[in-house]
Each structure stands twice: as structure tokens, then as C-alpha cells.
Amino acid sequence: MAAPLFDAHCDSLTAPGALRRCETKQLDLERLHAYRPAAQIFAVWTQPEAACPEFWHRTAERFLEELSQPGCPARLCRSAQQARRAAADGQIAAFLSAEGAELVGCSMAGLRAAQKRGLRVLTLTWNRSNALAGAAADGGGGLTAAGRIFVPQAQALGVAIDVSHGSERTFWDVLEVARRPVFASHSNARALADHVRNLTDAQFSALIRTGGCAGIALYPPFLGLGQDIPAVLAHMEHFLALGGERAVCLGCDFDGMDGQSARGISGVQDLERLYEAMLCRGWPERLAQDIFYNNLMSFMERAL
């Protein structure tokens, strides 16, 4: 397979079944390893009532044990440099994230403990507002006073801030206090699908200006249109028309969509179809490679 792949968000780590090989998942390591090079940000997620630092650490420990097994095709990476080394060695570069700051106790002490274990990306909220930030799903406000202190401190620690799931007010507050680029790991264009989780043109343009990026998600309600591969391309083209050649990546949200996905892409193995569709549409292969891999890797270099 000629296509590279660096995806910004999946929930495969916390979906039922083994991560190395599991046909009931939308993504596992063996299928991901068919892309060369391959990298993935693996989110730790659970329902808010169960989200706590203990859950994150238990999940991370299980992940590290799986990566340590003989013949495992992935390795944990803590920097873009380590990811490039993994690529040179023919291995998947695996990054750990937490989806919802409850998983680090909404505190710097909790974040430091997780960062030592390998956490490198933090989505501030999931679908409920918390002590740091307002969520899009419940119509929350922006950053709290604690959140305004937390964001730059987290970035100084080398943790990338993910604004997906945050309210629009949270988005703008984060950009106001951030000292490094931030990204939206799985959010599409609201101009094409009027969903509260999608980005307005002003938001995406701000990500471009500040060195961030946005990962195109495959969740049908975020896609709208035909909820298929042409719809995925339409969201990409909309962001590209805003000047996003270096700011569009993939954030498929595999195993986090209640079994749903864009028609024609049932799992990670089918992303080859999306890559081919880009080329069939006449896109330069360099642009396809940037969206599939280079843009997110460049963001990680800036953010970490």
C-alpha cells in the first residue's frame, strides 16, 4: 500500500477486544500496520461518571503491556522525533491521549502523572462541561478561571491541547491563552454540516493562523451530505479553499461512532479508498500525503 497514515483520533484502545487484532473493531494494529508509515493517536475514553485518573492509568498500563508483547508492530512515542524513528524502523508510532480532562482529575498534578506515563494529547472536554472548560454538547461556556491557568501549563509540559468537543467559547478562550498551536482532532466543517461539534470557517481560519490543524471525522452526522467518501472529500475541499493545505488531517474517530462510519469506509483498511478517491479527483499526490500524514506530524512537532 502506497498510502501513509497518521490519524488524530480513535477510541479503539477502549473499545471491547484486543488492540493488536480484533475483527469486530474498526481499527486494530495489524490492519493499521498495512500503511507505511503509520501513526495513530489513541484516546482513552469512558463515560463521565467513570472518568478518573485511575481509569486512565489502568488503560494506559494495559496498552503498554500490549505494546511490549513480542512482535507487536507498534511502539509508544512521546515526540514527533520518536514517531519518525518508529517510521524508519517500520513500526506504528502510537501516541496516547485522554478524551476529557476528568481523566487527569482536571488538575496539573493529575496531568503530570499521566504525562510521565506517556500522555501527549488532552481533549479538554467530552460531552459534558467540567471544571476546566465548557463542552459543545451541553451548551457550556468557555474556559473557567482554572482552565485559563491549566492550558498554558499543560502546553509547557509538552501536552498538546485538543479543542474538539469544546464549546465555541472554549475554542476562542483556548486560543487566547495558548502559547503553542492547538488542534481539533475530530471536527468537520459546519458550513457543510450544521452540527455543534463542527468548526465554523472563522474557527478553522484561526487554526491556520496559529499553526493548528483539524482532523476530518467519519461520523455520519458530522459529514451530512451523502455521508460517504464524496462527503469526506467535500469537507476537505471546503477547508482547503480557506487556505488549509497544511492544516487538514484525518481524525476518523474509529470505534467511537457507535459502529457507524462514512459509507464505503467500514474500518481503517478502507482508508485506501479515500486516498485513491483524492487522486482520482486530480489532487496532487503530495497533497494527499500531507492530509494523510505530513500535516499532523508537522503539527505534533510544533505542539510538543
Side-chain angles (χ1 to χ4, degrees):
M1 182 177 295
L5 178 62
F6 190 175
D7 179 74
H9 187 87
C10 78
D11 290 292
S12 308
L13 179 56
T14 45
L19 184 60
R20 183 163 175 178
R21 183 176 182 179
C22 182
E23 293 182 0
T24 61
K25 289 180 185 281
Q26 292 177 318
L27 181 150
D28 61 30
L29 295 179
E30 289 196 2
R31 281 176 286 159
L32 179 59
H33 198 220
Y35 297 86
R36 299 295 179 93
Q40 178 70 53
I41 298 175
F42 290 93
V44 175
W45 172 86
T46 189
Q47 293 289 344
E49 55 269 19
C52 62
E54 291 75 16
F55 180 88
W56 190 90
H57 284 282
R58 287 197 307 270
T59 306
E61 187 61 34
R62 188 178 73 245
F63 182 49
L64 294 174
E65 288 176 1
E66 190 153 12
L67 295 185
S68 70
Q69 296 301 309
C72 182
R75 71 171 68 157
L76 181 70
C77 292
R78 293 176 167 84
S79 67
Q81 184 180 22
Q82 288 184 0
R84 293 190 186 280
R85 252 187 245 125
D89 293 340
Q91 285 199 297
I92 299 165
F95 288 90
L96 268 172
S97 76
E99 190 169 20
E102 295 90 342
L103 288 160
V104 297
C106 291
S107 72
M108 282 305 301
L111 183 66
R112 289 189 190 96
Q115 190 265 359
K116 288 179 181 177
R117 186 66 65 91
L119 180 72
R120 287 300 180 270
V121 175
L122 177 67
T123 312
L124 290 174
T125 70
W126 185 60
N127 284 346
R128 294 185 193 174
S129 301
N130 58 34
L132 299 179
D138 65 8
L143 288 178
T144 65
R148 286 180 167 272
I149 296 170
F150 181 93
V151 166
Q153 289 184 342
Q155 291 182 314
L157 193 62
V159 175
I161 297 296
D162 179 3
V163 293
S164 281
H165 282 287
S167 68
E168 189 168 349
R169 184 67 261 162
T170 289
F171 176 94
W172 293 112
D173 285 352
V174 168
L175 261 62
E176 182 180 325
V177 302
R179 296 296 177 263
R180 293 184 182 180
V182 305
F183 76 138
S185 66
H186 54 306
S187 297
N188 296 351
R190 197 179 300 181
L192 300 187
D194 190 14
H195 193 288
V196 69
R197 278 276 286 100
N198 284 343
L199 299 171
T200 66
D201 288 358
Q203 287 176 293
F204 182 72
S205 295
L207 289 178
I208 295 173
R209 289 195 303 272
T210 56
C213 62
I216 300 298
L218 303 183
Y219 186 47
F222 294 177
L223 289 171
L225 305 173
Q227 300 184 349
D228 51 11
I229 288 176
V232 178
L233 295 176
H235 282 269
M236 291 178 176
E237 288 174 336
H238 183 82
F239 282 158
L240 291 172
L242 297 175
E245 293 86 356
R246 297 289 181 268
V248 179
C249 63
L250 296 179
C252 296
D253 201 13
F254 284 131
D255 293 305
M257 302 180 283
D258 298 322
Q260 303 180 66
S261 185
R263 278 196 290 273
I265 305 177
S266 62
V268 67
Q269 71 281 353
D270 294 328
L271 288 177
E272 182 183 26
R273 297 176 180 174
L274 177 61
Y275 191 84
E276 291 172 351
M278 292 176 175
L279 301 183
C280 287
R281 192 164 286 207
W283 294 14
E285 187 159 16
R286 177 66 185 186
L287 176 59
Q289 291 177 350
D290 286 346
I291 291 172
F292 259 66
Y293 188 87
N294 296 324
N295 289 347
L296 183 55
M297 185 63 74
S298 295
F299 166 77
M300 294 295 276
E301 288 176 334
R302 296 189 293 272
L304 299 185

